Amino acid sequence: MIKVMATTVGETGADFLAFTMNLGLDITSYIMGGLLLIALLNQFRLKCYVPLSYWLVVVLISIVGTLITDRLVDNFGVSLVTTNIVFILGLLAVFVFWYFSEKTLAMHSINTVKRELFYWVAILFTFALGTSTGDYLAETSGLDYAQSALVFGSTIAIITIGYYYFKMNAVLAFWSAYILTRPFGASIGDLLSQPTKNGGFGYGTIGTSMLFISIIISLVIYLSFKQKKRI
């Protein structure tokens, strides 16, 4: 739930800063990139899973991943077909190097700085790829926001069924679902934030971002208390 909402915040948050606040894609990218670097440095110094630190990085990397795709398409004129190909090849390259280096891609095996570095680079590519894929589908398929969300949500549901009932490989299921949550969350974000004339609910980027950030904070606080009780 937090991951889906983080992807939504990545979509609406980037739009809010770049367009609503008129910071532009370049300045927004520099600001969010700097914040992400600080959050990552803090994350790498930790020796165990800390919900607040981990999910802060996820939210920030979601925004940065969105901005990377938006800048390539809007500022440099790169087509969405090209960005999809580049990000797919980039993600595959990360997985290949990661596997040949560590012999595993399992999330629960991330217990060294090197593996965590591979993990976050892969996450960045999944967000950029998810943004590119979602935008491509929205612009070429003729589907509205609700239909796009249904397509991606149904695909995630199929993966879930495959894992629980047909013994789908756990690592493949995890990363497939992780990639798809990005366009799924983006579609939900667009559905809630876009004007009604464009097929959305008209809540705006501010309202949608604040709603989901509030829910994310509440869930992270819950996870933090739950972790302390286990300790």
Side-chain angles (χ1 to χ4, degrees):
M1 289 176 60
I2 297 176
K3 172 60 167 57
V4 172
M5 286 184 287
T7 64
T8 303
V9 171
E11 181 76 10
T12 59
D15 289 346
F16 170 72
L17 293 172
F19 304 113
T20 305
M21 296 294 293
N22 293 318
L23 294 179
L25 290 173
D26 291 338
I27 295 178
T28 301
S29 298
Y30 299 145
I31 294 174
M32 300 313 299
L35 292 176
L36 174 60
L37 179 59
I38 294 172
L40 277 172
L41 291 175
N42 178 68
Q43 174 66 23
F44 278 113
R45 75 176 182 81
L46 299 174
K47 302 301 181 182
C48 63
Y49 168 66
V50 178
L52 178 60
S53 176
Y54 175 84
W55 288 110
L56 175 61
V57 174
V58 171
V59 170
L60 290 173
I61 210 167
S62 172
I63 296 174
V64 171
T66 299
L67 289 167
I68 289 174
T69 297
D70 288 346
R71 288 189 70 193
L72 287 174
V73 174
D74 296 341
N75 288 5
F76 297 99
V78 180
S79 70
L80 288 171
V81 173
T82 301
T83 56
N84 273 298
I85 294 174
V86 170
F87 292 141
I88 289 173
L89 293 177
L91 184 59
L92 288 175
V94 173
F95 283 149
V96 168
F97 283 115
W98 184 355
Y99 183 79
F100 278 100
S101 174
E102 304 298 314
K103 307 304 179 185
T104 179
L105 299 177
M107 180 178 178
H108 295 294
S109 70
I110 301 172
N111 49 20
T112 67
V113 172
K114 185 178 180 180
R115 291 181 179 183
E116 187 169 7
L117 180 60
F118 276 122
Y119 174 76
W120 288 118
V121 173
I123 295 302
L124 180 60
F125 271 104
T126 65
F127 277 114
L129 174 61
T131 300
S132 182
T133 303
D135 290 347
Y136 179 76
L137 181 63
E139 294 180 11
T140 60
S141 67
L143 297 179
D144 58 28
Y145 301 125
Q147 291 170 336
S148 295
L150 181 61
V151 169
F152 292 117
S154 299
T155 307
I156 294 173
I158 292 172
I159 294 172
T160 304
I161 294 172
Y163 171 71
Y164 281 106
Y165 297 101
F166 296 99
K167 298 181 180 180
M168 181 179 180
N169 179 270
V171 175
L172 177 61
F174 170 81
W175 284 110
S176 298
Y178 205 105
I179 292 171
L180 288 169
T181 53
R182 177 63 187 87
F184 178 55
S187 297
I188 293 176
D190 286 335
L191 177 64
L192 294 173
S193 63
Q194 292 299 313
T196 54
K197 64 180 181 180
N198 294 338
F201 289 167
Y203 295 143
T205 56
I206 298 177
T208 303
S209 297
M210 291 301 100
L211 172 63
F212 278 75
I213 288 174
S214 298
I215 298 175
I216 290 173
I217 292 174
S218 299
L219 290 175
V220 169
I221 291 174
Y222 165 76
L223 291 175
S224 299
F225 278 112
K226 187 176 181 180
Q227 184 184 44
K228 288 182 179 179
K229 288 183 178 180
R230 288 178 178 177
I231 295 176

